[in-house]
Amino acid sequence: MTTTTHPWRAPAAACTTVVLWASAFVSIRSAGEAYSPGALALGRLLAGTLVLGAILIVRREGLPGRGAWPGIITSGVLWFGLYMVALNWGEQEVDAGTAAMLVNIGPILIALLGARMLGEGLPRRLLLGMGVSFAGAVVVGLAMSGHGGSSVLGVALCLLAAVAYAAGVVSQKPALAHGSSLQINTFGCLIGAVACLPFTGVLVSEAADAPLSATLNMVYLGVFPTALAFTTWGYALARTTAGKMGATTYAVPALVVGMAWVLLDEVPTPLGIVGGVLCLAGVAVSRSRQQTGPTRGNPARPVEGSRHDEERQAERA
């Protein structure tokens, strides 16, 4: 079935990813009390690789095409590996608000890299929506900021995480033309785990002393925000631009505020609520379609990519 037949699938996949990635912030906060950044990243990636590998075997999808491997390797090292370690470490050095503001330059970098490397362009609605969402992310960050200081190391690590995230997304986009989302993310997760193998000894040592709740949170991070969320992300990314998908993740700070309220009993401030609303409003603007303004009596233009539209273009040629 094509996305033309089921247009709701890609937005549903994107929403699933955003919700699960937001939940990861709560789990990381819990697991991070018992596991160091590298060990937590390795444990998460091992759990994700096992789940994705099992599904890949059951579905008998095999290996992706040869053209997918440059993107798989790059996104595996940068996004699955470096991003997770840098973010885990950065959040131990800076307060949550500062981390949110710094990491949320990622979607802007994705749009710029997508325009430069993938030729996606920068539609006005995308730029406007990203601007609104980024303002919301800054407001959420200010609302969540604690009274602790932010180290230069922590700021650098969060910026590094944002760059690794953006580069990983842009490198993964072309790979999805040569394999399924499941294939691309299974082997990307595996490569990320291999890159984190130097933390094996630390993971074993810390797992022996960690409380069960922390270990369960680490497994949850691997199964849901990694295995499931990265697969739904890849499905949606294959059906839209990297810039639009990056802008969608601006909804994460708004959801984190709500989840922290429900699960951690952290009541959001009025400023945090305003920031969350701005994040969601910006996502709505960036994901909206540009109206073509059909004349009276004429039907609206078909959705881009539809068979009817392709036939029109063929006739003009």
Side-chain angles (χ1 to χ4, degrees), residues 100-110 134 158-159 162-163 166 250:
M101 287 185 284
L102 293 172
V103 173
N104 268 292
I105 70 169
I108 296 176
L109 295 176
I110 290 172
F134 184 72
C158 288
L159 290 174
V163 172
Y250 271 122

Side-chain angles (χ1 to χ4, degrees), residues 232-248:
T232 53
W233 166 275
Y235 178 88
L237 180 61
R239 290 156 177 81
T240 187
T241 66
K244 282 191 175 182
M245 280 302 294
T248 301

Side-chain angles (χ1 to χ4, degrees), residues 21-33 35-38 40 44 82-104 144 146 148-162 221 252-253 256 264:
W21 281 355
S23 73
F25 283 84
V26 178
S27 290
I28 288 174
R29 183 175 303 177
S30 177
E33 296 179 356
Y35 289 97
S36 59
L40 179 57
R44 175 180 179 176
L82 179 59
Y83 167 78
M84 292 189 182
V85 175
L87 182 59
N88 291 345
W89 190 1
E91 288 189 347
Q92 292 184 356
E93 299 289 331
V94 303
D95 58 71
T98 302
M101 287 185 284
L102 293 172
V103 173
N104 268 292
M144 294 173 61
S150 298
S151 71
V152 174
L153 174 62
V155 171
L157 287 167
C158 288
L159 290 174
L160 177 62
L221 287 167
V252 169
V256 170
L264 302 176

Side-chain angles (χ1 to χ4, degrees), residues 40-283:
L40 179 57
L42 176 59
R44 175 180 179 176
L45 289 168
L46 289 175
T49 300
L50 289 175
V51 172
L52 288 169
I55 297 174
L56 190 74
I57 292 172
V58 170
R59 292 179 59 88
R60 298 181 180 180
E61 291 198 15
L63 296 174
R66 183 179 300 177
W69 285 100
I72 291 175
I73 293 173
T74 304
S75 63
V77 172
L78 294 179
W79 195 7
F80 286 89
L82 179 59
Y83 167 78
M84 292 189 182
V85 175
L87 182 59
N88 291 345
W89 190 1
E91 288 189 347
Q92 292 184 356
E93 299 289 331
V94 303
D95 58 71
T98 302
M101 287 185 284
L102 293 172
V103 173
N104 268 292
I105 70 169
I108 296 176
L109 295 176
I110 290 172
L112 295 176
L113 288 174
R116 177 71 175 177
M117 302 177 66
L118 304 178
E120 292 183 348
L122 293 170
R124 184 176 300 175
R125 285 178 179 267
L126 176 60
L127 292 174
L128 176 61
M130 291 180 69
V132 174
S133 288
F134 184 72
V138 171
V139 173
V140 170
L142 292 173
M144 294 173 61
S145 296
H147 298 289
S150 298
S151 71
V152 174
L153 174 62
V155 171
L157 287 167
C158 288
L159 290 174
L160 177 62
V163 172
Y165 159 52
V169 170
V170 174
S171 64
Q172 189 187 70
K173 173 69 173 177
L176 290 165
H178 303 279
S180 69
S181 175
L182 177 60
Q183 290 173 321
I184 303 304
N185 284 289
T186 298
F187 291 102
C189 192
L190 174 61
I191 289 171
V194 171
C196 291
L197 283 179
F199 301 107
T200 301
V202 181
L203 174 61
V204 172
S205 175
E206 292 178 350
D209 300 324
L212 179 60
S213 60
T215 301
L216 290 177
N217 270 288
M218 181 173 65
V219 173
Y220 170 83
L221 287 167
V223 175
F224 292 98
T226 303
L228 177 57
F230 273 75
T231 302
T232 53
W233 166 275
Y235 178 88
L237 180 61
R239 290 156 177 81
T240 187
T241 66
K244 282 191 175 182
M245 280 302 294
T248 301
T249 62
Y250 271 122
V252 169
L255 294 176
V256 170
V257 171
M259 289 181 179
W261 188 359
V262 174
L263 300 175
L264 302 176
D265 198 26
E266 295 180 355
V267 180
T269 64
L271 188 61
I273 295 175
V274 171
V277 171
L278 283 174
C279 288
L280 296 176
V283 171

